Amino acid sequence: MDSGSTAGRRAAIVPGLFGADPLEYGRAVADVARTDAELMHLDVMDGCFVPDISFGLKAVQSVRKAFGRRLDVHLQVERPQEHLDGLTRAGVDLVSVHAESTPHIARLLRDLESSGVAAGVVLNPGTPVSAVEEVAHLVEQVVVMAVNPGTSDFLDYTVGKIRRLRADLDARGLGHIRIAADGGVTAERVALLRDAGADRLIVASALFKDPAGVEPTYRSLCAAASGA
């Protein structure tokens, strides 16, 4: 993908289920299934790498049965290698691993490839773009955290980070690799992140907690992300 001019590019809206009311997760999955979203994002958190604890393997399996399109699992855990087999058996399509969570990120990405699962790598706000330089060719997406995991404060400087990453990937002939922005993505920030070079915008609270409802809000966000 040529990003010589990032203004006007399209970006996909990716619903992040963790933004829904925990008492309404089943309904939220059904709501997303009624949209044309190609991916749904699941945050798997262990209470150690980040303060929260979220979806475990049984929850992932249940979502897999209820949602017929691609599932994108974001591992926010220590010892991510211990989760790969279960997620592979559950039939997830894409697993993104934090570069900060393991000294063996290349091995984990290769293990995912061998299992037939697409791989991603995630960068915390304080982790430089150079951390993915040696493994970018192994992944479908690089996820740039726009908040510190476990918090909700959007960090403006991550927009420039996305822009630098997009330019670097394109310069290396890796323009096909998607950049996903995660954290604090709102309707007001969609165009900003899209024009910086993000191809995927992971939207959680701004989607599920909008009083308009999931389907109308999703359509509105898609319109903002279309670059039209």
Side-chain angles (χ1 to χ4, degrees):
M1 181 179 298
D2 181 8
S3 69
S5 175
T6 56
R9 71 187 300 127
R10 292 182 62 90
I13 299 298
V14 179
L17 188 61
F18 194 59
D21 182 342
L23 296 178
E24 299 287 345
Y25 280 148
R27 178 179 175 181
V29 172
D31 286 342
V32 173
R34 284 191 291 269
T35 73
D36 64 357
E38 297 179 4
L39 283 172
M40 184 159 57
H41 183 87
L42 300 180
D43 291 293
V44 171
M45 305 173 178
D46 63 358
C48 296
F49 187 73
V50 292
D52 279 317
I53 296 175
S54 65
F55 307 111
L57 185 58
K58 287 185 178 180
V60 173
Q61 291 169 337
S62 294
V63 174
R64 172 72 290 169
K65 291 177 182 178
F67 187 72
R69 280 162 269 159
R70 299 185 78 206
L71 285 184
D72 166 25
V73 171
H74 176 185
L75 281 180
Q76 300 183 58
V77 299
E78 295 181 354
R79 300 188 299 277
Q81 67 275 8
E82 297 179 3
H83 296 259
L84 299 189
D85 286 346
L87 292 172
T88 299
R89 290 195 300 271
V92 305
D93 302 282
L94 171 61
V95 175
S96 294
V97 181
H98 272 263
E100 309 86 7
S101 68
T102 173
H104 305 296
I105 187 67
R107 181 193 302 170
L108 266 64
L109 298 177
R110 284 293 192 193
D111 288 346
L112 285 167
E113 180 182 47
S114 298
S115 300
V117 178
V121 62
V122 189
L123 298 178
N124 275 338
T127 303
V129 167
S130 60
V132 300
E133 182 176 353
E134 301 299 334
V135 296
H137 65 288
L138 300 174
V139 304
E140 173 180 316
Q141 69 177 10
V142 178
V143 182
V144 176
M145 296 300 299
V147 301
N148 285 304
T151 72
S152 58
D153 292 333
F154 185 83
L155 301 171
D156 291 333
Y157 67 83
T158 58
V159 177
K161 184 176 183 178
I162 290 170
R163 188 174 292 110
R164 293 193 304 275
L165 177 61
R166 179 78 276 160
D168 179 68
L169 291 174
D170 289 351
R172 295 173 58 197
L174 299 174
H176 62 282
I177 294 173
R178 300 293 188 260
I179 297 175
D182 188 2
V185 180
T186 62
E188 295 76 20
R189 295 182 179 125
V190 163
L192 176 69
L193 293 163
R194 177 202 68 212
D195 289 347
D199 306 283
R200 292 173 175 164
L201 304 174
I202 299 166
V203 188
S205 296
L207 174 63
F208 290 104
K209 295 180 180 176
D210 192 300
V214 170
E215 293 177 79
T217 302
Y218 174 82
R219 289 194 296 269
S220 176
L221 289 165
C222 286
S226 70

